[in-house]
Amino acid sequence: MKPSIFSFAVVAGIALAAAPGIALAQHFPSKPIRVVVSTTVGSQPDMLARMIGQKMSESLGQPVVVDNRPGAQGVLAGTPVARAAPDGHTLLYALPNFAISAALQTGLPYDPIKDFAGISQIGFTTNALVVAPALGVKSLNDFIALAKGQPGKLIFGTSPTGSAAHLSGARFNVVAGIKTVHVAFKGGPEATIEVLAGRIHYHIGTLGVLLPFIKDGRLVALAVTSPQRTPALPDVPALGESLAEFKRPETSHGWLAPAGTPRAIVDRISKEIGRILDLPDVLERTQSIGYVVDASTPEEYDKILRAQIQTLTKLVQDAGLKPK
């Protein structure tokens, strides 16, 4: 049976529709790649974006430029990427605030699911739950018992309300069944100063900030929020060892492209990120700052983001936080 003219027309139409994406992929990258990051220069995410970008530039043959746009819970960074041409030359380094803003804010200028295409998860920052030695507790169970015996008495300090550290602490309180008083500070370093001074009782913050004080005994680390113990503090248990709900962190870092970016381009960038994160010098650097590398495929990262937004939305409800 000979193919009909209609069959040829259908095949030709499909080929023409796919041609623009194929052409873009074949010539990618054709200009510098911009990676938008929602933090300031010198922050841990900025450092990671630049480290990955430099190695990506060496292999792809085009500069990878980091564009820092902090503010508005990551919305200032996400908006230009959502509106960018879907050609792989404008990407978003998605931080926890990407999923948090989806759970906490209404009327976002973009749809966090429909307007982006997942490229790869890259990993997550390890946080630590710390107390001052004067509190007199040495283990997580002792701390939970103390908090339950004094409901509403202990003071919990974090970086700003709605930050990843705040929500991680709120989740811990819900899961552990404790009630404490939350005080938000400008940032993690300010909260650390307060717990060092004994003006607040406990704090959950990034390991990079807290590690020097833990090492010199000025703070007691009761647990880390990573799924397993961190090499930086091998004797400190992971929260998941005592609380099964913490087997996986509620947020992570990853790379996103505008929706509609050709799949061949997304796959190429994803494979590059996976290759880079597996390099010995990159692994050494990330482990030294308590960062856990956990790369994924594009499909996996799309699922991870959806699950994180669902988890955080429920957490916001359970913790009594009001979406803005």
Side-chain angles (χ1 to χ4, degrees), residues 173-265:
N173 286 1
V174 169
V175 172
I178 63 175
K179 293 184 179 180
T180 61
V181 178
H182 174 240
V183 178
F185 294 91
K186 182 179 179 181
E190 288 79 6
T192 301
I193 290 172
E194 294 301 306
V195 73
L196 284 168
R199 289 187 285 268
I200 63 174
H201 298 103
Y202 72 109
H203 167 56
I204 290 181
T206 58
L207 193 59
V209 173
L210 299 173
L211 193 57
F213 304 108
I214 297 170
K215 292 288 189 181
D216 69 11
R218 296 172 65 190
L219 290 176
V220 177
L222 301 181
V224 293
T225 60
S226 52
Q228 294 86 32
R229 298 190 183 201
T230 173
L233 292 173
D235 296 328
V236 176
L239 271 177
E241 294 179 31
S242 298
L243 304 170
E245 292 87 343
F246 280 91
K247 289 297 183 182
R248 184 164 189 86
E250 58 274 358
T251 57
S252 62
H253 296 191
W255 285 43
L256 294 167
T261 301
R263 185 50 192 262
I265 292 177

Side-chain angles (χ1 to χ4, degrees), residues 35-213:
V35 181
V36 186
V37 185
S38 62
T39 58
T40 56
V41 175
S43 63
Q44 186 186 85
D46 173 76
M47 180 274 291
L48 290 167
R50 292 177 189 277
M51 180 174 63
I52 294 171
Q54 179 183 350
K55 293 184 178 297
M56 188 179 293
S57 175
E58 293 169 359
S59 60
L60 295 182
Q62 287 284 354
V64 177
V65 180
V66 173
D67 181 0
N68 299 90
R69 297 199 179 196
Q73 275 283 21
V75 176
L76 295 182
T79 301
V81 178
R83 297 173 179 172
D87 59 8
H89 292 95
T90 302
L91 308 173
L92 177 67
Y93 184 117
L95 293 168
N97 57 22
F98 182 83
I100 290 170
S101 62
L104 270 178
Q105 296 190 40
T106 57
L108 291 175
Y110 52 77
D111 186 305
I113 299 299
K114 295 180 180 178
D115 291 338
F116 296 88
I119 296 175
S120 176
Q121 176 176 267
I122 64 169
F124 41 87
T125 298
T126 298
N127 288 335
L129 190 160
V130 297
V131 299
L135 195 61
V137 294
K138 301 294 185 182
S139 71
L140 184 66
N141 288 336
D142 288 345
F143 174 78
I144 293 174
L146 177 67
K148 286 184 174 180
Q150 303 179 39
K153 297 293 184 181
L154 298 186
I155 301 174
F156 168 40
T158 71
S159 45
T161 299
S163 65
H166 171 218
L167 291 180
S168 184
R171 183 184 178 199
F172 167 70
N173 286 1
V174 169
V175 172
I178 63 175
K179 293 184 179 180
T180 61
V181 178
H182 174 240
V183 178
F185 294 91
K186 182 179 179 181
E190 288 79 6
T192 301
I193 290 172
E194 294 301 306
V195 73
L196 284 168
R199 289 187 285 268
I200 63 174
H201 298 103
Y202 72 109
H203 167 56
I204 290 181
T206 58
L207 193 59
V209 173
L210 299 173
L211 193 57
F213 304 108

Side-chain angles (χ1 to χ4, degrees), residues 99 102-104 307-318 321 323:
L104 270 178
Q308 288 178 353
I309 291 172
Q310 290 175 353
T311 297
L312 290 169
T313 299
K314 185 177 186 303
L315 175 60
V316 166
Q317 296 170 347
D318 292 345
L321 302 174

